[in-house]
Amino acid sequence: MNTPDYKLCPLCGFEFEKDDTACAHGCPFNEVCHLIRCPSCHYEFHDQPQTLSWFQKFFKKNKETCPPIKGNYQSILQMKDGEEGTVAVICAHGSRKNSLAVFSLVPGSKIRMLQHTPAVLIQIGETQLALDTEIAKNIFISPASS
Amino acid sequence: MKTIILAGNPNVGKSVLFKNLTGHYVTVSNYPGTTVELTRAQSNFDPDIQVVDSPGINDLSSSAEDSRVTQNLLKEEKETVLIQVADAKNLRRSLLLTFQLAESGLPMILALNMSDELKQRGGTIDVQKLSDLLGIPVIPTVAIRNEGITELIQSIPHASLPSWDAPDDLRKKNADLYQKNCERLDWISSILEKTCFYIAPPKPSIGVRLGFWAIHPVKGLLILLFILWMMFWFVGLFGAGTLVDFFETALFKQKLNPFFISLADRCLPFPHEHSEELSVYHLTIPITPVHSKELGQIKRTVLSTEYKCNAPLTPSQRTFLFIHDLLVGPYGLLTMGLSYALAIVFPIVLTFFLLFGFLEDTGYLPRLAIMLNRLFRSMGLNGKAVLPMIMGLGCDTMATLTTRILETRRERIITTFILALVVPCSAQLGVIMAMLSRLSIWAAMIWIGLIMGVMLLAGRLSAMLIRGKSSDFILEIPAIRRPQVVNLLSKTFSRLEWYLKEVIPLFFLGTAMLFLFDWFHILEKIANLMHPIVTNWLGLPKQMANAFLIGFLRRDFGAVYLLKAATGREPLLDPHQIFVSIVTITFFLPCIATFFMIAKEHGKKIAVSIGMFTLVFAFLSGGLINHIGKWLGL
């Protein structure tokens, strides 16, 4: 199936159609300019040629990597069911970090592990939140609290 | 005119409150993100005030579609009072949104909804102190039981701009979104310490425990199997069996059709004689697919649609004959169109929507999303796609609309594609079940296996082909609640209304098309034209071309046609042919309304490519089943 030209803003992660670019109407650079402006955060970025992105996809490692964390932090996946702890570090990109924050999951919040399978389930205050293992892996609690 | 905007986190009861304030019903459910559009209505306490229900949002500053809808709404409306509906149990998250909404500069009221559930969990909120700290009226409510609504209405004139002494950092305009949210949360913590107190009850209630069982790896699977069995019994056996029998035989065949026929004969006189037939109705309660308990039966001799007419007719009598046949002939609008729509499709859809509404209101569906997350991951989706998928078992058009709750475009397209290709809607499912019951249990197993296989394969392939990103699976799990009967009934009613408005015109259109084609003898020509596909490739009798022809309008209409051919007194189809036709009609494009809905949501290009693909795939797989079956000698 042929999808229309969809762009992803590298800064804020907003998804939009290429025609929706926030460039001013009647801009003199119209034809020569190859920059795209995100309609959400107005960040300007260069359009990537398709062949290049194909190669990148081909060689890219699929796993998300998290920078090494100093200190004796423990991933919440290692918590036992029913164990409580205080979140110390959340290792994720901007939009994911923010979507966790709106469920009040930020460094410093107290969580309780409820179960691991079929999906990770944690409790923050009175909210029960189900997460993918991929996301939960990169949330760490400080050792003192466990 | 004044406007009241209801805003708040998902699944906090905005839509229930909307109903309390206006008397208008919008679909309410125990699933986050059911409202995808703005709904407006006049309030029931002051004709000059308009109330707007907005989609639930977690983060006003995010760029997702639903929060942009709310952002625009806050900018555009003039003379507005903003009522933030908050979940009293989740005050921390609600206040985060309060701070974001406060930046819009509108006078606000905070409604602490579900305060009863907070009490059950041993929590109390110092409402007066919270109101002082925030500088806006705070009203505890229980929207579902209409408590606190009068107080809320009285407080509307007192709505005020929030006045609080927030830390200086928060007033900076261009701070990073995430940093800003973190600082807000810090400050909220200090407010909560002063106003919110918890004493956990010693023993979790039965609802809480049930909620945990539903997502337990073993118990959850058992509950899932139980629900599937319940669905099969209630929709497949009771709805498609007992109720359809009642509506079709007892109501239409024995009462309404003879009445329509005699009425038409009286109004449109021309010399003809209707033949009579014996119709027997058995009232049965199903136990298993093959066993049932008979409670009674009614035998009646009734007028049939077939008639003899030998005398030569005058031109005016020919006109009468034409209208008579259009209304009550073998392809009559009343005797075929209306009775198929009301007697066969309606009872099945009714039972399905009742059950779906029940599952939705208890809060089981998000738990199902957790159980099925891994399965959906392999199709480039995540557990959140479970709502449109299950909805698709009811009506694919409605489900295509619900794909809006998915976050990325790629997920929306994959879900739409799978819905169109493999998920049969309830009417069709009921008819297919009825046809499968003529075959063996093995045929049913092969059919289910085939559907699952095609679904996984199609999902896998489309996930590879369609570019874009998948979203994260971060899903809030609502509390298990006891469904309110009134809410359940009004929800089922509004869905049925939507459905019937869509179905009946299409059934009339399809019947009229068949009738005209038959009248002008085009039907035979089309049958001859489709002969190579229908007879040679699928191995079906050539009359079945009709079924596929009306299958273009609605695939359940086509399926009903096939069912008639498979179960009549002299069945046209043998078991092998029944199976081939079931497979072909399963993979057909759902209906013309779904096609238009796909075009509206994703553009014409995608609608046409999905339509073409399902059509080719349906005939291809049907033919393969036919030839493989014959080759194996089944």
Side-chain angles (χ1 to χ4, degrees):
Chain A
M1 244 171 292
N2 213 349
T3 48
D5 211 357
Y6 255 71
K7 298 293 161 206
L8 193 77
C9 173
L11 185 65
C12 67
F14 183 64
E15 214 182 1
F16 59 98
E17 245 172 273
K18 197 181 170 186
D19 301 341
D20 279 346
T21 173
C23 286
H25 200 67
C27 165
F29 285 119
N30 194 10
E31 288 295 315
V32 262
C33 169
H34 291 291
L35 291 174
I36 299 169
R37 191 185 278 259
C38 165
S40 173
C41 66
H42 291 244
Y43 174 68
E44 266 185 327
F45 59 97
H46 211 279
D47 194 11
Q48 200 178 37
Q50 238 181 49
T51 38
L52 188 66
S53 61
W54 191 83
F55 273 105
Q56 209 175 27
K57 206 171 153 189
F58 197 76
F59 289 110
K60 203 172 106 184
K61 274 185 194 164
N62 225 350
K63 280 180 186 162
E64 279 176 39
T65 45
C66 183
I69 294 167
K70 283 176 191 166
N72 191 14
Y73 294 112
Q74 192 189 5
S75 161
I76 62 166
L77 279 185
Q78 288 158 355
M79 290 166 82
K80 289 190 194 87
D81 288 357
E83 202 177 315
E84 288 183 14
T86 310
V87 175
V89 184
I90 295 175
C91 191
H93 56 77
S95 66
R96 179 181 291 173
K97 227 172 175 176
N98 210 20
S99 52
L100 289 172
V102 296
F103 289 107
S104 66
L105 187 67
V106 287
S109 52
K110 284 200 177 77
I111 62 158
R112 205 173 134 179
M113 190 70 184
L114 294 175
Q115 72 171 43
H116 289 80
T117 44
V120 178
L121 189 71
I122 54 175
Q123 178 146 359
I124 318 145
E126 284 297 303
T127 311
Q128 287 171 9
L129 204 61
L131 300 172
D132 255 335
T133 321
E134 288 296 299
I135 305 169
K137 193 173 74 188
N138 292 334
I139 300 175
F140 298 90
I141 52 168
S142 51
S145 67
S146 63
Chain B
M1 186 181 260
K2 256 188 147 184
T3 316
I4 293 176
I5 298 177
L6 298 176
N9 295 90
N11 204 26
V12 293
K14 290 178 295 299
S15 297
V16 186
L17 199 65
F18 180 76
K19 183 182 149 236
N20 291 343
L21 292 177
T22 61
H24 275 260
Y25 184 80
V26 277
T27 314
V28 175
S29 65
N30 192 3
Y31 192 97
T34 321
T35 310
V36 281
E37 285 172 322
L38 297 173
T39 321
R40 288 161 192 275
Q42 203 180 54
S43 71
N44 56 9
F45 51 89
D46 187 344
D48 269 349
I49 295 183
Q50 199 187 33
V51 187
V52 186
D53 184 26
S54 70
I57 44 169
N58 275 320
D59 189 6
L60 189 62
S61 48
S62 96
S63 48
E65 198 161 330
D66 42 1
S67 64
R68 279 205 293 175
V69 169
T70 313
Q71 280 166 26
N72 292 339
L73 179 73
L74 294 178
K75 268 181 223 156
E76 281 162 16
E77 295 292 330
K78 302 275 177 296
E79 271 197 79
T80 314
V81 173
L82 184 63
I83 298 186
Q84 192 202 341
V85 188
D87 179 356
K89 310 191 296 288
N90 283 316
L91 203 53
R92 188 185 299 268
R93 285 175 45 205
S94 310
L95 287 180
L96 180 65
L97 192 65
T98 312
F99 288 148
Q100 295 180 345
L101 288 171
E103 283 175 11
S104 66
L106 295 173
M108 283 178 70
I109 298 173
L110 184 65
L112 289 180
N113 199 15
M114 306 200 235
S115 1
D116 57 331
E117 285 187 4
L118 176 76
K119 248 178 237 166
Q120 271 172 21
R121 296 185 181 202
T124 42
I125 293 175
D126 188 341
V127 175
Q128 191 52 48
K129 192 151 188 187
L130 188 64
S131 173
D132 290 344
L133 282 172
L134 297 175
I136 54 174
V138 179
I139 315 287
T141 57
V142 185
I144 207 150
R145 271 186 267 130
N146 221 352
E147 282 169 27
I149 305 299
T150 15
E151 287 88 339
L152 189 66
I153 294 170
Q154 281 161 5
S155 72
I156 288 172
H158 306 293
S160 56
L161 289 173
S163 58
W164 50 51
D165 22 285
D168 292 340
D169 290 358
L170 276 182
R171 300 199 185 278
K172 280 184 205 158
K173 272 277 169 200
N174 293 324
D176 177 49
L177 287 177
Y178 178 66
Q179 284 303 322
K180 233 171 157 180
N181 276 342
C182 283
E183 276 157 25
R184 284 181 186 132
L185 281 169
D186 273 352
W187 194 51
I188 289 165
S189 294
S190 71
I191 294 183
L192 286 182
E193 270 171 28
K194 292 175 214 158
T195 56
C196 192
F197 313 97
Y198 261 102
I199 309 155
K203 220 178 171 187
S205 67
I206 183 87
V208 173
R209 272 189 281 169
L210 244 164
F212 278 116
W213 289 345
I215 44 174
H216 189 272
V218 183
K219 289 174 200 159
L221 210 60
L222 289 178
I223 291 185
L224 177 61
L225 287 178
F226 172 74
I227 284 173
L228 280 181
W229 180 82
M230 196 168 81
M231 205 163 191
F232 175 70
W233 186 87
F234 190 60
V235 181
L237 296 181
F238 181 71
T242 311
L243 285 184
V244 167
D245 251 8
F246 172 76
F247 277 94
E248 199 195 357
T249 316
L251 197 69
F252 268 88
K253 207 163 184 185
Q254 298 191 348
K255 288 272 159 64
L256 289 177
N257 283 355
F259 170 73
F260 289 145
I261 291 173
S262 56
L263 195 71
D265 284 353
R266 228 170 291 160
C267 300
L268 307 159
F270 68 98
H272 69 292
E273 187 98 32
H274 278 275
S275 55
E276 290 187 338
E277 60 178 342
L278 182 73
S279 148
V280 186
Y281 167 64
H282 303 272
L283 176 65
T284 53
I285 290 290
I287 301 163
T288 68
V290 279
H291 302 93
S292 58
K293 181 150 180 60
E294 190 167 323
L295 298 176
Q297 52 171 296
I298 307 170
K299 273 188 198 164
R300 265 209 187 97
T301 317
V302 294
L303 287 177
S304 97
T305 51
E306 279 155 27
Y307 60 87
K308 281 193 194 108
C309 165
N310 294 326
L313 299 173
T314 62
S316 68
Q317 280 175 330
R318 284 198 68 81
T319 322
F320 285 154
L321 175 78
F322 178 80
I323 301 173
H324 174 275
D325 276 8
L326 176 65
L327 291 176
V328 296
Y331 296 109
L333 290 185
L334 295 174
T335 43
M336 184 178 175
L338 193 70
S339 75
Y340 278 15
L342 286 187
I344 299 178
V345 172
F346 173 76
I348 301 174
V349 177
L350 170 80
T351 45
F352 179 84
F353 280 148
L354 265 177
L355 192 67
F356 182 77
F358 177 80
L359 289 180
E360 203 179 24
D361 281 8
T362 50
Y364 178 71
L365 292 178
R367 290 171 169 83
L368 189 62
I370 293 185
M371 296 295 293
L372 296 181
N373 184 32
R374 290 240 171 112
L375 181 74
F376 281 16
R377 269 271 168 239
S378 65
M379 298 190 280
L381 301 169
N382 67 36
K384 285 182 195 175
V386 83
L387 185 78
M389 290 286 188
I390 302 277
M391 190 70 189
L393 289 175
C395 170
D396 279 321
T397 316
M398 240 184 244
T400 306
L401 188 69
T402 356
T403 54
R404 284 190 194 174
I405 66 164
L406 302 178
E407 276 152 52
T408 66
R409 206 186 112 81
R410 176 174 181 245
E411 289 174 334
R412 288 196 285 267
I413 292 180
I414 295 177
T415 315
T416 309
F417 173 60
I418 292 176
L419 279 171
L421 184 66
V422 283
V423 179
C425 61
S426 58
Q428 201 201 357
L429 199 63
V431 177
I432 287 176
M433 275 182 193
M435 282 167 83
L436 280 173
S437 67
R438 312 267 148 182
L439 305 173
S440 63
I441 181 95
W442 293 110
M445 289 303 205
I446 295 173
W447 181 73
I448 291 173
L450 199 68
I451 282 205
M452 296 309 267
V454 169
M455 184 168 105
L456 287 177
L457 201 70
R460 235 331 156 18
L461 286 178
S462 52
M464 278 183 200
L465 278 175
I466 299 170
R467 278 179 288 145
K469 258 177 59 167
S470 298
S471 66
D472 292 337
F473 181 63
I474 303 172
L475 184 66
E476 192 199 347
I477 308 298
I480 288 268
R481 299 194 181 111
R482 187 181 306 159
Q484 302 273 320
V485 178
V486 180
N487 183 24
L488 185 61
L489 289 181
S490 48
K491 175 162 35 186
T492 310
F493 180 77
S494 74
R495 280 186 178 143
L496 274 178
E497 193 190 338
W498 194 90
Y499 189 81
L500 288 179
K501 261 187 207 157
E502 187 193 291
V503 163
I504 291 179
L506 278 177
F507 268 61
F508 277 153
L509 186 69
T511 323
M513 202 174 82
L514 272 186
F515 167 73
L516 288 177
F517 282 4
D518 183 51
W519 185 264
F520 294 112
H521 305 286
I522 304 174
L523 216 50
E524 285 164 34
K525 282 177 198 156
I526 292 175
N528 286 336
L529 206 66
M530 285 173 79
H531 189 265
I533 296 178
V534 175
T535 316
N536 297 351
W537 176 241
L538 295 177
L540 301 174
K542 71 175 183 183
Q543 293 96 313
M544 290 303 107
N546 293 353
F548 298 116
L549 197 65
I550 48 177
F552 282 111
L553 283 178
R554 282 192 66 84
R555 67 178 171 190
D556 49 338
F557 196 176
V560 172
Y561 199 91
L562 289 174
L563 176 71
K564 291 279 165 182
T567 58
R569 256 173 300 168
E570 300 145 15
L572 279 168
L573 305 173
D574 62 36
H576 174 70
Q577 289 174 327
I578 294 182
F579 192 72
V580 171
S581 51
I582 287 178
V583 170
T584 314
I585 208 78
T586 306
F587 295 131
F588 237 63
L589 187 73
C591 61
I592 201 115
T594 308
F595 181 79
F596 285 130
M597 187 58 91
I598 298 175
K600 196 179 139 206
E601 293 287 305
H602 306 296
K604 277 184 211 128
K605 217 164 148 189
I606 291 200
V608 170
S609 43
I610 288 182
M612 289 307 285
F613 183 85
T614 46
L615 197 65
V616 172
F617 188 81
F619 282 119
L620 200 68
S621 53
L624 282 179
I625 293 283
N626 174 34
H627 289 290
I628 292 172
K630 277 199 182 133
W631 179 62
L632 289 175
L634 294 173

